[in-house]
């Protein structure tokens, strides 16, 4: 089809393809773009990962610090996620305070962390009532081409698995923290949720892994988060078209399949990393 038709009537241009159960980029409706995962590439961070889904690229860096626990939760640490959408990733974003989409993405990540129980906050306690870990999870989008949430969740999981905490004890004599950098242990990751996003067209057609253009043209977006037990951890649907229970169930089934694909990729990366060798790894998953 001509480029002129796409410019004048972009939605009708897409509908022509959707009627044939395909998309302009050649993918089928249920097909994801190639996923690339790279871990440990930021040496100044305590853990890091870079994930590419098609052109969409997100880097996640983890920093851990000491903090005093609250009085109400003396044995619980803190997890602080943040998603940054700078102008360098897309012309749609502006410099300055976080925009609405960045704030919504940060809140979504926080909800997934809490609902899925990826990390128990009790596991971040060093000395009850005295000292805990605070884990800062900063995700920055380097290239935005749709499906931000899926990429952020995968980058977060991979970066958390890359973290190694030093052994810490409280000196009885001084009351100060003593850090042993020669003894390290990984964070206790209890669950491995994976997000799968769908774009809705004409209230009846759902396509996975939408590009930025597909998100703009769609009548709604839905993101489903599933863990390794096929437990539904979150459903994120910020307005738009109504999704029937039948279509929602179809989306859940596709999300379960996607979880197995991403979990396999994560497992291959984790298996390849030894405690004494935190080298940069690059693996690709084509689904």
């Amino acid at each position: 089809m001509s480029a002129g038709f796409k410019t004048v009537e972009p939605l009708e241009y897409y509908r022509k393809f959707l009627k044939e159960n395909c998309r302009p980029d050649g993918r089928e409706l249920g097909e994801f773009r190639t996923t690339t995962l790279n871990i440990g590439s930021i040496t100044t961070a305590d853990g890091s990962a870079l994930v590419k889904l098609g052109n969409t690229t997100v880097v996640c860096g983890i920093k851990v610090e000491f903090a005093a626990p609250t009085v109400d939760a003396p044995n619980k640490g803190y997890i602080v996620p943040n998603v940054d959408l700078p102008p360098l990733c897309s012309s749609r974003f502006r410099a300055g305070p976080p925009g609405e989409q960045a704030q919504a993405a940060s809140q979504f990540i926080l909800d997934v962390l809490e609902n899925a129980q990826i990390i128990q906050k009790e596991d971040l306690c060093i000395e009850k009532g005295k000292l805990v870990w605070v884990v800062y999870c900063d995700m920055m989008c380097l290239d935005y081409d749709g499906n931000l949430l899926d990429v952020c969740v995968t980058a977060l999981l991979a970066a958390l698995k890359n973290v190694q905490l030093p052994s810490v004890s409280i000196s009885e004599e001084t009351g100060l923290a003593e850090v042993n950098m020669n003894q390290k242990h990984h964070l206790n990751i209890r669950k491995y949720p994976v997000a799968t996003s769908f774009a809705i067209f004409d209230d009846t057609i759902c396509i996975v892994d939408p590009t930025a253009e597909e998100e703009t043209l769609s009548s709604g977006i839905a993101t489903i988060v599933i863990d390794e037990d096929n437990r539904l951890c979150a459903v994120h649907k910020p307005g738009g078209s109504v999704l029937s229970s039948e279509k929602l169930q179809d989306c859940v089934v596709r999300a379960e399949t996607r979880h197995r694909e991403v979990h396999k990729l994560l497992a291959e990366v984790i298996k390849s990393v030894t405690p004494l060798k935190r080298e940069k790894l690059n693996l690709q998953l084509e689904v």
Side-chain angles (χ1 to χ4, degrees):
M1 287 180 228
S2 67
F5 178 56
K6 179 182 179 180
T7 303
V8 176
E9 294 287 348
L11 183 55
E12 287 300 323
Y13 176 83
Y14 261 85
R15 282 172 175 158
K16 294 286 187 180
F17 285 91
L18 295 177
K19 288 178 181 179
E20 301 298 328
N21 292 320
C22 65
R23 294 144 86 167
D25 60 8
R27 288 185 292 157
E28 297 180 356
L29 304 188
E31 183 178 352
F32 275 81
R33 292 169 287 180
T34 300
T35 304
T36 304
L37 172 60
N38 173 292
I39 69 170
S41 54
I42 304 178
T43 57
T44 55
D46 295 303
S48 63
L50 184 144
V51 176
K52 284 193 67 175
L53 184 60
N55 291 327
T56 300
T57 307
V58 171
V59 61
C60 178
I62 307 291
K63 291 295 288 184
V64 295
E65 295 179 358
F66 294 141
T70 62
V71 177
D72 296 335
N75 65 332
K76 292 184 179 181
Y78 309 92
I79 307 175
V80 184
N82 180 67
V83 177
D84 187 16
L85 297 173
L88 68 89
C89 73
S90 174
S91 59
R92 70 175 64 191
F93 304 119
R94 296 289 180 265
E100 182 179 346
Q101 187 171 353
Q103 293 182 51
S106 297
Q107 183 60 51
F108 171 81
I109 295 297
L110 179 61
D111 291 342
V112 170
L113 281 164
E114 294 181 349
N115 294 340
Q117 292 292 295
I118 297 175
I119 297 176
Q120 295 281 358
K121 292 182 179 179
E122 290 83 356
D123 293 337
L124 301 177
C125 179
I126 299 172
E127 186 77 20
K128 184 176 180 180
K130 294 182 179 180
L131 197 65
V132 297
W133 289 110
V134 53
V135 181
Y136 294 101
C137 311
D138 292 308
M139 286 147 279
M140 176 179 286
C141 184
L142 304 180
D143 191 349
Y144 183 88
D145 189 21
N147 206 356
L148 174 71
L149 300 183
D150 291 18
V151 184
C152 282
V153 172
T154 302
L156 174 66
L157 271 179
L160 288 173
K161 285 297 297 183
N162 188 231
V163 174
Q164 294 189 61
L165 298 178
S167 176
V168 181
S169 60
I170 305 296
S171 173
E172 295 182 359
E173 296 179 358
T174 64
L176 300 176
E178 296 180 347
V179 181
N180 185 351
M181 297 301 294
N182 294 323
Q183 294 183 1
K184 293 186 177 183
H185 63 279
H186 289 282
L187 282 172
N188 185 12
I189 309 300
R190 296 177 178 268
K191 292 293 181 180
Y192 295 85
V194 172
T196 304
S197 293
F198 303 83
I200 307 167
F201 284 84
D202 299 328
D203 299 337
T204 57
I205 301 174
C206 291
I207 63 174
V208 303
D209 183 23
T211 62
E213 184 177 29
E214 289 169 343
E215 287 181 345
T216 302
L217 296 174
S218 69
S219 56
I221 301 291
T223 302
I224 295 173
V225 183
I226 299 284
D227 68 12
E228 65 271 26
D229 299 320
N230 286 338
R231 184 174 65 94
L232 187 62
C233 301
V235 175
H236 179 69
K237 191 178 181 306
S241 297
V242 176
L243 197 61
S244 67
S245 58
E246 181 181 353
K247 285 293 181 181
L248 180 59
Q249 184 58 42
D250 291 340
C251 292
V252 170
V253 172
R254 181 63 183 95
E256 292 173 352
T257 302
R258 177 60 177 172
H259 183 281
R260 291 191 292 271
E261 296 164 350
V262 174
H263 192 266
K264 179 181 178 182
L265 175 62
L266 285 171
E268 290 175 351
V269 173
I270 294 167
K271 185 178 179 180
S272 301
V273 178
T274 63
L276 299 178
K277 189 177 181 182
R278 296 178 64 192
E279 63 178 319
K280 183 170 66 175
L281 293 170
N282 219 351
L283 292 179
Q284 287 191 344
L285 173 69
E286 295 186 4
V287 293

